[in-house]
Each structure stands twice: as C-alpha cells, then as structure tokens.
Amino acid sequence: MVKGESPFMKYLRRDRLPTIFCAGCGNGIVMNTFFNGMEMAEVDFDNLILVSGIGCSSRIPGYVACDSLHTTHGRPISFATGIKLANPEHDVAVFSGDGDAAAIGGNHLIHGARRNIDITVICINNSIYGMTGGQISPTSPKGSYGTTAPYGALERPFSLADLVTAAGGTYVARWTTAHPVQLSKAIKYGLQNKGFSFIEVISQCPTYYGRKNKLRSPIDMLNWMKETSINKRRADKMEEEELQGKIIVGEFQKKPEPEFAEKLCKLLEEQCVTGKPTAIRSAYQED
Amino acid sequence: MITVNENLCKGCNLCTEFCPQKVYKESEKLGKKGIHVPVPVDEEKCKKCGLCALMCPDQAIRVDEEDNDE
Ligand SMILES: Cc1ncc(C[n+]2csc(CCOP(=O)(O)OP(=O)(O)O)c2C)c(N)n1
Ligand code: SF4
Ligand code: SF4
Ligand code: SF4
Ligand SMILES: [Mg+2]
C-alpha cells in the first residue's frame, strides 16, 4: 500500500481518478461503504462482479478494479441475473440510481425481488435524475423541485424499501450517506444474504437536487438527512402525519427464503442426462 | 498520522463538518488544483475513528492507527 493512501484505494482503478462526480456527491461515500461492507462480509474481491445501468451512480463500477458490466439504462438487474445464472459461484452486486432502478428499470426490480435471485442491489436514491440535469424521478418527494417540476412534484413518491419488501426481497434496508457505519453493516448483511438483497441509500446530489431545493451544499444535504431520519422501529409506532417529511431508516426485511439460482441448479441436476449438471455445462458438452 | 491527498480532494468540506473531534480546518490558500484542501490542524484531538476516511467521497483521506511516521 502506498504511504498516505486511502484504505479503499486498493480496490480502485487509480488511473481513472478523480471521479467525474461533483464535489460532495454521495456516490463516493457509497463506494467507500460498499468496500467496507464487502470486507466485513469477507467477500473475495476477485470473485466479485459489479453491474450498473446508466446514470451518475451507474458510473461507480467503472472505477472499481474488478470485473464489471456497464449496461443499458434500467437493465442492470437483468444483466446481473444472467451473470448469476451462468455461474452461480460469483458474487454479483448492482449499482443503480433511483431513475435506473425505479423508473425505466422498475419492472426488473420487482421481478428480481420476486424471484429472490442472489444478487445485492445498491440503489443510490438521490431523488432526482442527476446525470441528465435534474428531472423528477419516481422517488422525488411530493412538492420537491426539479427541472420537470418547476412548481413542485405533484405525484406521490415510491418508498423503494417498502416496494422491494412487498415484491419479495429477502434482505431490505434503507440508510443514508449520513449513516456510513450503519450503511456499511447493511451492505455486509446484504452481501451475506443468499437471496435478493436491496440496500436503498438516500444520497445527495448537491448539484441538481440540492440547488433546486434550498440545500445548496453537500453539508446542508447531509445535515438534512441526519435531522429527518428516524429509525424504523420507532416509526412503526407513529402515525402517518407524524412521519411527513421523515426518512425512515433501518432494516425492512430479513427473512431467508429459497433462492432462485439454487432452485434452478437443483432442477438441472434432477433433469440432467449428460452427467454434468452445472449451469455452465450444456452448451459445450460436445467439446 | 492524517494525510489528505491534494490531487484527489474536491474541497467539499464534509470532513471539516462531520469529524466528531473537529480536527480539520479549511485551508486559507488554494491548493495546486485551485481547491481549499482541508488541513488536520488539531490532529492531537483525533480519536482514529476513521469516519472522515469513510465519508470522504473522493478517497482523499488516510488516517493511520500509529503515529510513527518514520
Ligand atoms: C433508454 C434510455 N432512456 C433515457 C436515457 C437518459 N438517461 C440517462 S441517465 C438517466 C436518469 C439517471 O437517473 P438516476 O438513475 O437516478 O441516476 P443518477 O444520475 O441520479 O445517479 C436518463 C433518463 C438513457 N440513457 N437511456
Ligand atoms: S450531478 Fe448530482 S448525482 Fe451527478 S455527480 Fe453531480 S452531484 Fe452527483
Ligand atoms: S479519524 Fe475520526 S477523529 Fe480523527 S480526524 Fe477522522 S473523523 Fe476526526
Ligand atoms: S471530504 Fe475529502 S474531498 Fe471533501 S474536503 Fe475533505 S478531503 Fe476533500
Ligand atoms: Mg438519481
């Protein structure tokens, strides 16, 4: 390790740094917490494959020195499903934005959860389309401003952690970039869970969300997250009106269930006629 | 020993604000990239909790456990 270097530098492609992210963007904090959680979960970095769609947040895997796929907008969970089924031995994680995961990719998200395929999805929810200049997303709070909502958003936002819990995710948690220690632990549990794990990270886009919503600096944004966060255990005992404008953080789901790749491999084994019942077997059986 | 990498720091000041011990202070003069890179002025107050390194979005900080910077 080079003297004076960040403890996370060993996982990064240093020739690509600094990142394209704006000063104080939450994406960099999520990267750190991911490496931290990965170390705690004792994931073998050489066995890890990162997948992303399109967006600022989706640039993350490109900076990490492991195998990765930067795919099309909204589709990282589909690509990750393919990777996992082609070789279930890999640890597969997805980095996705709120637009990527919940707007264009919302369908893939709920079906990944329904199948309970063993991938870990880190959804960086900055409540806006950062990369394209600040459009409202499916998670933008009601009344918040964006380039497509100059009078404030009229629609109800999705609560992604609740959505994925309802769809069948088996480890689901929400934290913010102002809770890096708790977030690291949630990522650890997500990586350890044999099934569909979803970690929603409320994050800051000071450049678009912040500037449009009177939270001009990254410091203002993190203070806002700290002040409005409330733990799920407490929130569960409170009325809906009391929870207006609050960010509910904590674990939403932790319930092991049979995992899809395992079920599929078992089926392959039962139905196998070649004597080589692995997921990567049959196409090459002639060679 | 605390090291802040001038080539990576973007001057967001999250370290200055969120270090529980208030170890950092924004530099008065611009660094070589035109950024006010924070300086760990009160390093003796540091508890080595590692929060600043975990929060720095640009992987610019290292906090060494030991103070032996030979
Ligand atoms: C099929 C397709 N439609 C639209 C776009 C334009 N586009 C690029 S990124 C993006 C949204 C990004 O928002 P999010 O996923 O929240 O990521 P962020 O930049 O906020 O991290 C959109 C709509 C695209 N690249 N491809
Ligand atoms: S536009 Fe927003 S999300 Fe994109 S890098 Fe800048 S701060 Fe981050
Ligand atoms: S390690 Fe902790 S106490 Fe020391 S400078 Fe960083 S945040 Fe402050
Ligand atoms: S948190 Fe990192 S990038 Fe931000 S000012 Fe401190 S050292 Fe620089
Ligand atoms: Mg976004």
Side-chain angles (χ1 to χ4, degrees):
Chain A
M1 193 186 295
V2 181
K3 195 165 166 281
E5 198 174 73
S6 159
F8 307 117
M9 197 55 74
K10 57 181 175 288
Y11 302 121
L12 293 167
R13 296 183 196 274
R14 64 185 79 215
D15 54 314
R16 307 260 176 97
L17 301 179
T19 62
I20 55 150
F21 306 141
C22 309
C25 173
N27 289 339
I29 304 181
V30 180
M31 289 167 77
N32 297 342
T33 55
F34 181 81
F35 299 137
N36 198 19
M38 180 187 85
E39 285 176 0
M40 290 193 281
E42 296 180 20
V43 168
D44 175 8
F45 187 62
D46 291 330
N47 191 47
L48 178 70
I49 301 180
L50 300 182
V51 190
S52 66
I54 300 294
C56 295
S57 38
S58 292
R59 301 290 295 250
I60 289 177
Y63 294 113
V64 184
C66 66
D67 288 332
S68 62
L69 279 187
H70 189 188
T71 74
T72 48
H73 195 27
R75 273 61 184 170
I77 292 173
S78 317
F79 283 88
T81 300
I83 293 170
K84 188 71 191 178
L85 294 182
N87 186 353
E89 299 287 301
H90 283 301
D91 292 302
V92 183
V94 169
F95 284 89
S96 187
D98 44 317
D100 197 62
I104 190 168
N107 212 20
H108 301 292
L109 176 65
I110 55 176
H111 290 289
R114 179 178 64 80
R115 283 194 185 111
N116 193 33
I117 180 148
D118 182 23
I119 60 178
T120 301
V121 178
I122 316 285
C123 179
I124 304 183
N125 179 1
N126 55 10
S127 310
I128 206 145
Y129 293 177
M131 179 166 267
T132 46
Q135 295 82 3
I136 287 299
S137 89
T139 60
S140 301
K142 205 165 156 183
S144 67
Y145 296 96
T147 49
T148 49
Y151 304 105
L154 295 175
E155 298 162 28
R156 280 182 301 182
F158 268 144
S159 163
L160 294 182
D162 283 304
L163 177 75
V164 175
T165 301
T170 47
Y171 182 83
V172 181
R174 178 194 287 133
W175 290 102
T176 82
T177 46
H179 301 90
V181 176
Q182 296 94 324
L183 174 58
S184 305
K185 278 199 195 127
I187 291 171
K188 169 192 149 179
Y189 292 134
L191 288 167
Q192 286 174 335
N193 174 43
K194 191 111 192 80
F196 193 86
S197 305
F198 184 77
I199 322 291
E200 179 181 358
V201 190
I202 307 298
S203 181
Q204 72 274 22
C205 168
T207 302
Y208 291 110
Y209 190 83
R211 200 174 53 182
K212 292 231 169 256
N213 290 282
K214 298 201 180 75
L215 294 162
R216 277 182 178 266
S217 74
I219 295 174
D220 291 342
M221 293 210 69
L222 260 70
N223 279 327
W224 158 73
M225 289 179 206
K226 274 192 157 172
E227 284 155 21
T228 52
S229 290
I230 173 161
N231 199 286
K232 183 156 193 324
R233 282 189 301 262
R234 247 183 85 202
D236 284 344
K237 296 189 195 105
M238 288 165 69
E239 299 296 323
E240 212 175 306
E241 302 92 76
E242 290 179 277
L243 293 169
Q244 282 297 319
K246 296 273 191 246
I247 303 169
I248 301 172
V249 294
E251 274 179 357
F252 284 65
Q253 182 64 284
K254 197 176 189 176
K255 192 175 94 193
E257 296 242 9
E259 192 269 331
F260 184 68
E262 262 178 11
K263 283 198 273 186
L264 194 67
C265 288
K266 192 163 164 276
L267 181 69
L268 278 170
E269 231 164 83
E270 284 164 7
Q271 303 296 326
C272 174
V273 289
T274 63
K276 282 181 269 177
T278 76
I280 41 176
R281 131 227 81 129
S282 51
Y284 304 103
Q285 57 182 276
E286 299 298 299
D287 303 345
Chain B
M1 234 257 312
I2 297 173
T3 322
V4 182
N5 185 332
E6 227 190 296
N7 293 317
L8 292 175
C9 172
K10 291 178 186 158
C12 66
N13 274 313
L14 290 180
C15 53
T16 322
E17 177 73 16
F18 294 105
C19 162
Q21 305 299 319
K22 295 276 172 244
V23 164
Y24 297 93
K25 192 168 177 282
E26 194 180 335
S27 158
E28 317 254 289
K29 58 178 203 300
L30 291 175
K32 59 182 171 207
K33 291 206 165 176
I35 276 161
H36 293 276
V37 178
V39 195
V41 283
D42 284 323
E43 210 178 314
E44 70 283 357
K45 288 200 256 166
C46 173
K47 296 254 164 69
K48 318 262 188 243
C49 67
L51 191 67
C52 53
L54 190 57
M55 281 187 103
C56 170
D58 285 284
Q59 294 80 34
I61 300 180
R62 176 177 188 85
V63 182
D64 278 305
E65 292 284 336
E66 305 295 320
D67 275 321
N68 57 342
D69 49 329
E70 72 275 33

